[in-house]
Amino acid sequence: MSAPELDPVQVEIIRNALVAAAEEMGVTIWRTSRSSVVRDLLDYSTCVFDADGGAVGQSTAIPIHLNSMPSCLAEILANHIPIEEWEDGDIIITNDPYAGGQHLSDIQTFKPVFHEGRRIAIAGILVHHLDVGGGAAGSYDPSATEIQQEGFRIPPLKIAERGKRNEAVVKLLLRQTREPANVGGDFASQLAALETGAANLKRIVARYGPDLLAAAMARIQDQSEAAMRAMIRDVPDGTYTFEDFVDDDGIDRDTKLRIAVTLTVEGDGMTIDLDGSSPQAKGPVNCTYAMAYSAAMCGVLMSLGTEIPANAGCYRPARVTAPLGTVVNCRYPAPVANRMATGHRVVNAVMGAFHQAIPGKVPAAYYGVSYATAMNCIHADGSRQVYFDLECGGWGGHPDEDGASGFSCGLHNISNAPMEMLENSLPIQFQEYALVPDSGGKGRTRGGLGLARAYRLETPTGVFAANLDRFKVRPYGLAGGEPGQPGRLTVTRAATGKTEDLPSKVSSVPAWKGDIFRLQTAGGGGYGDPSERSAEAKALDVENGYTSG
């Protein structure tokens, strides 16, 4: 049978319909989820795949999810549940980093969509769940030395088979979490959103037919590949290197971890080689390959500044290599909960390499870490609530303008959790939320400012944990710009009034009512010689309170 003829306008209509199907899955989660990490931070992503698992449409969500979901799906199909075994009504689930996942809090679900007995697409959703067990609230235990200490691990399996739900898996998950009501509600939201996506995909195929839809999906991916190759051809051929460092792994606090990038551009293709990065760490800052690949591709897309529709075609011109047994491609059973500390550094290093290739187009380093903190709030009756939060910081100065302040990096693309919403549902009271003056690196264009966020515990006791970075290794400047200021974490004890500094990675810190925990995030690096900054810009910085002089 010959392939159907494709009208370019019709292909674009179908592409937008697929993106809309992904976006509507995201809206379903937003409207029906329960925990602040999902409802307010928007820590979830949705994607539509073709019948064979190639990404064709995705929501405007979190790149670290969206770049890695195809890797997880490919791993499931290749080594766990072959596509021939996927049936109408099935839902496949996993959170296993060693089966294509990232860390245990990120639960991925995939649902095949059929039309008249033929598989025509797959709907996929990844949600960061508030708590899946392990040694610390929020499942971010910086003292973990193996993945078994980090929470409930779900191998790739069918949580629904031919439409029948396996409730035992759900019960196992909820038995492990500290927040069964919120996690149960979020998981129900995730499964409901899959049905929303499947229904929209069935409407699309009913309108265009399975053959035309399949051909359009292939064309959509080919178009993005061609556009990506055109962008790469504008980068001069050559080999470019850069390195950056993670502060430590939370256990060996005196050892920095090197992230090395060698970028090789040849014609319309490129290779990002992470050889030379540090051996895998004892603490949970390790990345699986899927995570490192996702971060590297995010660095590529951020550096090229492209408006190319994101799908499987974008990834074809680039190859990412990472030696097994390193912090960017760890061996089982290495812990991975704080893989974002290293993942952000991969992005920073890739962007630094692109600065060598296309100087004058790439900004200095942004804050470079997902500031993950969690408080296990323990009420007088012994009941518990988990406050989990993610913060951002300052962006690096751009060749043409100052870096953004308190702005979420594209890699994690989280939203702000409003203080009023959190105080309404959690036993905490905020004391401060503000930009940090003088935290951006000096340069011709200034680095963006970091944030300060402080809250007071209102339950009798609690247990605090944090997985942070950029307390020692500051976000780099470029072209003569100075690095941004580092982060800082403190606790002020109600009993004594004394303020103590805490390391960037801590677990099981005891807390009592009235204690105030304050996080200060890093500013972005500066760009260009600081002496070249205009007098008008300096005066405006002082007037706005961004700098002290």
Side-chain angles (χ1 to χ4, degrees):
M1 180 184 295
S2 60
E5 293 188 11
L6 292 171
D7 176 81
V9 174
Q10 192 175 53
V11 170
E12 188 65 9
I13 291 172
I14 292 173
R15 185 186 71 80
N16 280 278
L18 295 171
V19 171
E23 292 285 7
E24 192 166 344
M25 286 193 284
V27 170
T28 299
I29 295 173
W30 174 56
R31 288 185 176 276
T32 60
S33 57
R34 295 187 58 167
S35 70
S36 62
V37 69
V38 182
R39 183 191 64 239
D40 299 323
L41 290 177
L42 308 182
D43 200 346
Y44 60 86
S45 297
T46 59
C47 189
V48 172
F49 302 86
D50 64 25
D52 297 318
V56 290
Q58 62 188 45
S59 58
T60 307
I62 299 178
I64 199 65
H65 294 167
L66 295 165
N67 293 343
S68 68
M69 286 174 72
S71 299
C72 183
L73 181 54
E75 168 68 17
I76 292 171
L77 295 176
N79 297 312
H80 300 276
I81 309 174
I83 195 65
E84 295 79 14
E85 297 178 12
W86 292 44
E87 299 181 271
D88 198 0
D90 288 357
I91 298 176
I92 286 77
I93 181 175
T94 189
N95 69 342
D96 189 351
Y98 293 98
Q102 295 193 7
H103 71 152
L104 297 179
S105 294
D106 287 345
I107 298 179
Q108 304 193 48
T109 51
F110 301 96
K111 180 178 178 62
V113 181
F114 287 79
H115 174 76
E116 297 178 350
R118 173 178 170 181
R119 187 182 65 258
I120 55 96
I122 298 172
I125 298 177
L126 187 157
V127 173
H128 178 129
H129 287 272
L130 176 60
D131 186 280
V132 293
S139 305
Y140 269 78
D141 184 359
S143 66
T145 56
E146 59 182 7
I147 194 169
Q148 282 77 12
Q149 298 168 332
E150 297 187 315
F152 184 47
R153 187 170 167 221
I154 308 170
L157 55 82
K158 292 186 179 182
I159 195 170
E161 193 163 2
R162 297 183 183 180
K164 184 177 180 180
R165 184 87 53 84
N166 186 344
E167 297 295 344
V169 175
V170 180
K171 290 178 181 178
L172 280 169
L173 172 62
L174 299 186
R175 187 59 63 91
Q176 305 303 315
T177 178
R178 296 170 177 83
E179 285 270 12
N182 278 328
V183 171
D186 290 345
F187 191 64
S189 173
Q190 183 171 357
L191 297 184
L194 281 175
E195 300 303 326
T196 299
N200 281 329
L201 289 166
K202 288 178 179 179
R203 280 193 284 270
I204 295 170
V205 73
R207 179 172 182 178
Y208 295 103
D211 292 331
L212 182 60
L213 178 60
M217 286 177 165
R219 178 69 62 82
I220 289 165
Q221 294 174 61
D222 289 344
Q223 288 175 340
S224 287
E225 178 185 0
M228 187 70 175
R229 291 191 182 279
M231 293 292 296
I232 295 172
R233 280 195 292 270
D234 289 338
V235 179
D237 285 0
T239 298
Y240 311 94
T241 61
F242 202 84
E243 66 178 15
D244 203 351
F245 294 86
V246 177
D247 286 349
D248 56 68
D249 70 350
I251 294 176
D252 180 0
R253 299 188 188 278
D254 296 325
T255 301
K256 295 187 296 184
L257 303 172
R258 180 174 185 252
I259 307 301
V261 167
T262 299
L263 168 67
T264 302
V265 180
E266 186 174 359
D268 63 359
M270 66 172 62
T271 298
I272 301 100
D273 185 5
L274 304 179
D275 191 13
S277 298
S278 292
Q280 69 185 54
K282 188 175 182 180
V285 298
N286 300 291
C287 292
T288 60
Y289 175 78
M291 172 68 193
Y293 172 86
S294 181
M297 289 307 304
C298 185
V300 169
L301 294 169
M302 288 168 65
S303 298
L304 294 179
T306 174
E307 298 296 326
I308 299 169
N311 56 56
C314 295
Y315 309 130
R316 293 173 185 166
R319 188 167 68 99
V320 179
T321 60
L324 186 62
T326 61
V327 72
V328 289
N329 187 8
C330 59
R331 297 179 186 270
Y332 171 85
V336 296
N338 193 18
R339 88 282 183 219
M340 288 295 277
T342 298
H344 277 285
R345 208 64 68 252
V346 171
V347 177
N348 290 150
V350 168
M351 294 181 73
F354 269 102
H355 170 71
Q356 315 297 324
I358 45 175
K361 295 186 178 181
V362 178
Y366 67 91
Y367 56 93
V369 61
S370 297
Y371 289 93
T373 62
M375 174 66 80
N376 192 9
C377 309
I378 305 172
H379 293 272
D381 63 1
S383 62
R384 298 175 294 178
Q385 287 180 274
V386 176
Y387 166 45
F388 178 85
D389 207 354
L390 294 166
E391 269 303 337
C392 57
W395 269 76
H398 190 274
D400 300 320
E401 57 187 89
D402 293 342
S405 297
F407 188 75
S408 183
C409 159
L411 180 67
H412 58 175
N413 197 33
I414 51 172
S415 183
N416 169 273
M419 293 185 294
E420 297 83 358
M421 293 288 289
L422 294 171
E423 288 181 337
N424 189 51
S425 59
L426 291 162
I428 56 174
Q429 186 175 86
F430 285 93
Q431 308 297 298
E432 179 186 9
Y433 195 25
L435 297 175
V436 179
D438 297 313
S439 56
K442 294 180 180 180
R444 185 180 71 246
T445 56
R446 172 184 45 75
L449 306 183
L451 292 170
R453 189 163 169 120
Y455 67 90
R456 185 178 68 215
L457 180 65
E458 296 297 331
T459 54
T461 60
V463 182
F464 178 82
N467 278 269
L468 315 172
D469 205 67
R470 287 296 200 199
F471 279 33
K472 303 172 187 173
V473 182
R474 298 157 63 183
Y476 61 77
L478 288 177
E482 296 181 5
Q485 293 301 307
R488 186 186 182 197
L489 178 66
T490 63
V491 57
T492 301
R493 298 296 185 183
T496 64
K498 293 182 178 180
T499 297
E500 311 165 16
D501 275 291
L502 297 174
S504 63
K505 303 167 184 70
V506 291
S507 64
S508 303
V509 177
W512 293 270
K513 185 174 182 178
D515 288 352
I516 296 173
F517 288 81
R518 183 180 186 272
L519 169 65
Q520 180 174 311
T521 69
Y527 192 99
D529 188 340
S531 66
E532 296 177 1
R533 187 164 180 80
S534 69
E536 293 80 6
K538 291 179 181 178
L540 189 60
D541 282 345
V542 174
E543 180 182 341
N544 289 329
Y546 296 157
T547 65
S548 56

